[in-house]
Amino acid sequence: MTSIAFIKGYHLPLIHKHWLFLVLMLSAITINSQESIASKLGYPADARLLIIHADDLGVAHSENAASIKAIEDGVVNSASVMMPTPWVLEVAEYAKAHPETHDFGLHLVLTSEWKNYRWGPVASIDKVPTLINEHGYFHAGCKPEASLEEVEVELRAQIDRAFAMGLVPTHLDSHMGCLMQSPELIEVYLRMGQEYKLPVMVSKAFPEELIKKYNVKVVLEEIVMILPKQFNEGLAAYYNEAIKNLKPGVTTILIHTAYDNDELKAMTIDHPEFGSAWRQKDYDYFTSEECKELLEKENIKLVTWRQLKEAYFSDK
Amino acid sequence: MTSIAFIKGYHLPLIHKHWLFLVLMLSAITINSQESIASKLGYPADARLLIIHADDLGVAHSENAASIKAIEDGVVNSASVMMPTPWVLEVAEYAKAHPETHDFGLHLVLTSEWKNYRWGPVASIDKVPTLINEHGYFHAGCKPEASLEEVEVELRAQIDRAFAMGLVPTHLDSHMGCLMQSPELIEVYLRMGQEYKLPVMVSKAFPEELIKKYNVKVVLEEIVMILPKQFNEGLAAYYNEAIKNLKPGVTTILIHTAYDNDELKAMTIDHPEFGSAWRQKDYDYFTSEECKELLEKENIKLVTWRQLKEAYFSDK
């Protein structure tokens, strides 16, 4: 597997045409904030810190159940929740029952990507016409041309609903990377974090001028996500290499944990990439002894967005 | 089982307090329209005609898959679809692929009754504030005090979306019987059928003056649905007796077919009545040889809403 170049693509599972754009964004901008993050969390400056982050909570019962199991029994230690999805209350119930131990952020959603299983905005559909299709669902793919005002209305509606449901998010991130499709969208994304006093999932690959403009203090070293080519070449080998090659600083690995059952097979029909069997394999790896032992052997320290939020956004 | 009085309750699975109201509604109003229905469909006047009708399509993949299987392999011959539910497109795809053979109506929805799995209106939530809770979902139970204007806005939105999705409904009925909670709601229900030229599921138990006012021609002899007491005493015995005791005219048996799997167990959590195991038992009975043989032995003729629609609403 040594020939595989790591593509630290952001979370864009479905819109393949956007990958190139993101890979191009992953240029080597140097921002010397990582040492201070490690120190601020109480680790040596060269510590290799990792967030193992399950995306897409709320999307299906299968995804919720497997992700919570992978958090409780595996090494997954963080996740983010899609507020417009049908099963989000199941996650909110879990979060309220485990107020201190979970690390759930909001996976801000502008898409509804599955063929026969859809959802629409949290905001009133009258208010966000550029975000929806003819049936009132979100579009299947990112729409960089959507109204920025409507994007902001919808993101505020999602964040406000989370708090109203008793979810207290530890961070914000972006489903399918839709909020990374233009500098203007990145600005909306960063502004949400600033206003709601929440860390936003950004890495050194983001535009330096925006990181400075919004005074973003929590900047990840890298955001790692397996892509179809690596998946086909071997998931465990990819993750093993990714873990061995972690750099000092905070990295996050974005994964999608679910059970490969009837519900998830139907949800991901006609879409093997990031599909049902894929998600089961993510679950299997991140609940395996192999992964756990590798993290110990490599002396990787698991940290959470909750720790980062408390370190940088606490009033203390 | 002879001591069991048949309660031909309408479809009110969750709101138990409303049952009494409905049972009281089931008084013996005599409308002599049944003979003409049988004749119009080409049967003798004393024929015992039956629609075996699966409710709740769209609610879950498990419900869709089991209901379609029960239609294809069992004796179930009709169903109705909940437009606001997450899985409705799966049903629309099936309907479009089987344009002549399916018999799908619309199960008009004003509620979102499951604990951790919810949906909201098809209409923009700004337009229907009395129909939704603080999170934008439908209320869990029927709200007879909801604005009639908003109910009508939402029902039109559901029917219009069905046609826009390529579903051509054969009839209208009412999820959880919410449209039977007041004479005014029944009027909205009957008006929808009149305007969209669709038969509405009503029986002789409905108020006679409204049936006359709206010139309703398709009036069922009875609407039969098993209730928790009968379920607990024995589902197969109940249905066997119901079939043996069918009266001349058109009766419908309302059922809920789904697989008792992880998805449905989670959906129906904390709600054994009309829950996951219940729906599996409905599936098991209406795909059994026992049921099929009984229908043959009793000389019951299965008819569909499609036949009724064509007989009474066709331009021919």
Side-chain angles (χ1 to χ4, degrees):
Chain A
M1 290 302 296
T2 51
S3 66
I4 295 175
F6 285 127
I7 299 171
K8 285 91 185 177
Y10 202 79
H11 178 28
L12 272 184
L14 298 164
I15 309 308
H16 302 174
K17 64 183 174 179
H18 297 305
W19 286 352
L20 185 62
F21 171 83
L22 285 167
V23 172
L24 291 174
M25 273 186 60
L26 298 169
S27 56
I29 297 165
T30 305
I31 299 167
N32 293 315
S33 61
Q34 289 304 316
E35 285 169 281
S36 63
I37 294 180
S39 308
K40 191 123 180 166
L41 295 184
Y43 291 101
D46 65 346
R48 299 193 296 161
L49 309 179
L50 179 61
I51 305 170
I52 303 179
H53 187 276
D55 288 0
D56 293 2
L57 267 66
V59 73
H61 173 65
S62 170
E63 191 98 19
N64 289 349
S67 298
I68 287 169
K69 186 82 172 157
I71 288 167
E72 292 185 344
D73 294 355
V75 296
V76 180
N77 70 337
S78 185
S80 60
V81 185
M82 299 167 76
M83 294 309 302
T85 57
W87 285 96
V88 67
L89 272 169
E90 190 175 52
V91 186
E93 289 301 307
Y94 181 87
K96 285 187 280 186
H98 302 79
E100 298 304 324
T101 56
H102 74 275
D103 184 43
F104 292 165
L106 299 184
H107 203 43
L108 298 168
V109 184
L110 295 173
T111 50
S112 172
E113 66 270 35
W114 307 108
K115 185 180 175 191
N116 291 332
Y117 176 70
R118 307 289 296 255
W119 51 80
V122 169
S124 192
I125 54 174
D126 278 357
K127 299 281 203 309
V128 293
T130 69
L131 305 187
I132 60 173
N133 74 4
E134 71 275 25
H135 301 313
Y137 300 131
F138 280 128
H139 300 291
C142 300
K143 294 278 177 185
E145 69 278 17
S147 153
L148 291 172
E149 290 70 26
E150 294 176 24
V151 168
E152 192 161 331
V153 164
E154 175 58 18
L155 299 186
R156 286 182 193 282
Q158 290 181 21
I159 301 168
D160 292 343
R161 186 188 277 187
F163 282 104
M165 273 187 187
L167 277 168
V168 183
T170 60
H171 62 289
L172 301 177
D173 61 67
S174 169
H175 183 55
M176 293 170 62
C178 293
L179 294 170
M180 267 129 268
Q181 298 295 309
S182 73
E184 293 76 17
L185 284 164
I186 296 175
E187 290 212 51
V188 175
Y189 183 44
L190 296 179
R191 201 159 60 244
M192 291 300 104
Q194 202 175 50
E195 292 187 18
Y196 284 92
K197 295 186 170 39
L198 291 169
V200 172
M201 192 182 289
V202 298
S203 77
K204 289 183 177 179
F206 275 59
E208 189 173 3
E209 65 277 16
L210 293 181
I211 287 176
K212 282 185 178 160
K213 179 177 174 184
Y214 288 90
N215 191 26
V216 180
K217 294 199 179 82
V218 180
V219 179
L220 300 178
E221 189 66 27
E222 282 177 341
I223 298 168
V224 175
M225 190 178 77
I226 190 168
L227 296 177
K229 181 173 182 293
Q230 289 91 31
F231 180 84
N232 292 332
E233 288 170 347
L235 175 142
Y238 172 84
Y239 286 131
N240 286 341
E241 287 299 302
I243 290 168
K244 286 177 196 163
N245 287 293
L246 284 176
K247 295 177 188 166
V250 184
T251 297
T252 187
I253 300 181
L254 299 184
I255 63 173
H256 305 83
T257 37
Y259 297 126
D260 183 20
N261 62 14
D262 286 348
E263 179 194 17
L264 218 70
K265 283 185 214 293
M267 180 180 101
T268 62
I269 192 168
D270 295 347
H271 204 293
E273 292 180 0
F274 297 87
S276 188
W278 177 306
R279 290 169 191 242
Q280 179 73 55
K281 286 190 178 177
D282 264 0
Y283 174 86
D284 292 344
Y285 180 84
F286 288 99
T287 55
S288 71
E289 281 304 308
E290 173 187 7
C291 175
K292 197 173 176 180
E293 286 166 11
L294 182 62
L295 291 169
E296 283 171 15
K297 186 183 163 202
E298 292 286 329
N299 196 29
I300 307 298
K301 304 299 180 192
L302 295 182
V303 297
T304 63
W305 283 106
R306 182 181 291 278
Q307 288 172 268
L308 292 166
K309 181 185 173 191
E310 285 172 1
Y312 287 93
F313 291 85
S314 165
D315 290 332
K316 285 180 282 189
Chain B
M1 292 302 294
T2 49
S3 67
I4 295 175
F6 285 126
I7 299 172
K8 286 92 183 176
Y10 201 79
H11 178 30
L12 271 185
L14 297 166
I15 309 307
H16 301 176
K17 64 182 174 179
H18 296 306
W19 286 354
L20 185 60
F21 172 84
L22 286 166
V23 171
L24 291 173
M25 273 185 60
L26 297 168
S27 56
I29 296 165
T30 305
I31 299 166
N32 294 313
S33 60
Q34 289 304 316
E35 286 170 280
S36 65
I37 294 180
S39 307
K40 191 124 180 167
L41 295 184
Y43 292 100
D46 65 346
R48 298 193 295 162
L49 309 178
L50 178 62
I51 305 170
I52 303 178
H53 187 275
D55 290 358
D56 294 2
L57 266 66
V59 74
H61 172 67
S62 170
E63 191 98 18
N64 290 348
S67 298
I68 288 168
K69 186 83 171 157
I71 289 167
E72 292 185 344
D73 295 356
V75 296
V76 180
N77 70 338
S78 186
S80 60
V81 185
M82 298 167 77
M83 294 309 300
T85 57
W87 285 95
V88 68
L89 272 169
E90 190 175 50
V91 185
E93 289 301 306
Y94 180 86
K96 286 187 280 186
H98 302 79
E100 298 305 323
T101 57
H102 74 274
D103 183 42
F104 293 165
L106 299 185
H107 202 45
L108 298 168
V109 184
L110 295 173
T111 50
S112 173
E113 66 270 35
W114 307 109
K115 185 180 174 191
N116 291 332
Y117 176 70
R118 307 289 296 257
W119 51 80
V122 168
S124 190
I125 54 174
D126 278 0
K127 300 282 202 309
V128 292
T130 68
L131 305 187
I132 61 174
N133 74 4
E134 72 275 24
H135 302 313
Y137 301 130
F138 280 128
H139 300 291
C142 300
K143 294 277 177 185
E145 68 277 18
S147 152
L148 290 171
E149 290 71 25
E150 294 176 24
V151 168
E152 192 161 331
V153 164
E154 174 58 19
L155 299 186
R156 286 182 194 281
Q158 291 181 21
I159 300 168
D160 292 343
R161 186 187 278 186
F163 282 103
M165 274 188 187
L167 278 168
V168 183
T170 60
H171 63 289
L172 302 177
D173 60 68
S174 168
H175 183 56
M176 292 169 63
C178 293
L179 294 171
M180 266 129 269
Q181 298 296 308
S182 72
E184 293 77 17
L185 284 164
I186 295 175
E187 289 211 51
V188 175
Y189 183 46
L190 296 178
R191 202 159 61 242
M192 291 300 104
Q194 202 175 51
E195 292 187 17
Y196 284 93
K197 296 186 170 39
L198 291 169
V200 172
M201 191 182 289
V202 298
S203 77
K204 291 183 176 179
F206 277 59
E208 190 173 2
E209 65 277 15
L210 293 181
I211 287 176
K212 282 185 177 161
K213 179 176 175 185
Y214 288 91
N215 191 26
V216 179
K217 294 200 180 81
V218 180
V219 179
L220 300 178
E221 188 65 27
E222 282 178 340
I223 299 168
V224 174
M225 190 178 77
I226 190 169
L227 296 177
K229 180 172 182 294
Q230 288 91 32
F231 180 85
N232 292 332
E233 288 171 345
L235 175 143
Y238 173 84
Y239 287 131
N240 287 341
E241 287 297 304
I243 290 168
K244 286 177 195 164
N245 287 292
L246 285 177
K247 295 177 187 166
V250 184
T251 297
T252 187
I253 300 181
L254 299 184
I255 63 173
H256 305 83
T257 37
Y259 297 126
D260 184 19
N261 62 14
D262 285 349
E263 178 194 15
L264 217 70
K265 283 185 214 294
M267 180 181 100
T268 62
I269 192 168
D270 294 349
H271 203 293
E273 292 181 0
F274 298 87
S276 188
W278 177 306
R279 289 169 191 243
Q280 178 73 55
K281 286 190 177 176
D282 264 0
Y283 174 86
D284 292 344
Y285 180 84
F286 287 99
T287 55
S288 71
E289 281 304 307
E290 173 188 7
C291 175
K292 198 174 175 181
E293 287 166 10
L294 181 62
L295 292 169
E296 284 170 14
K297 185 182 162 202
E298 292 286 329
N299 196 30
I300 307 298
K301 304 298 179 193
L302 295 182
V303 297
T304 63
W305 283 106
R306 181 181 290 277
Q307 288 172 270
L308 292 166
K309 181 185 174 191
E310 286 172 1
Y312 287 93
F313 292 85
S314 165
D315 291 333
K316 285 179 284 190

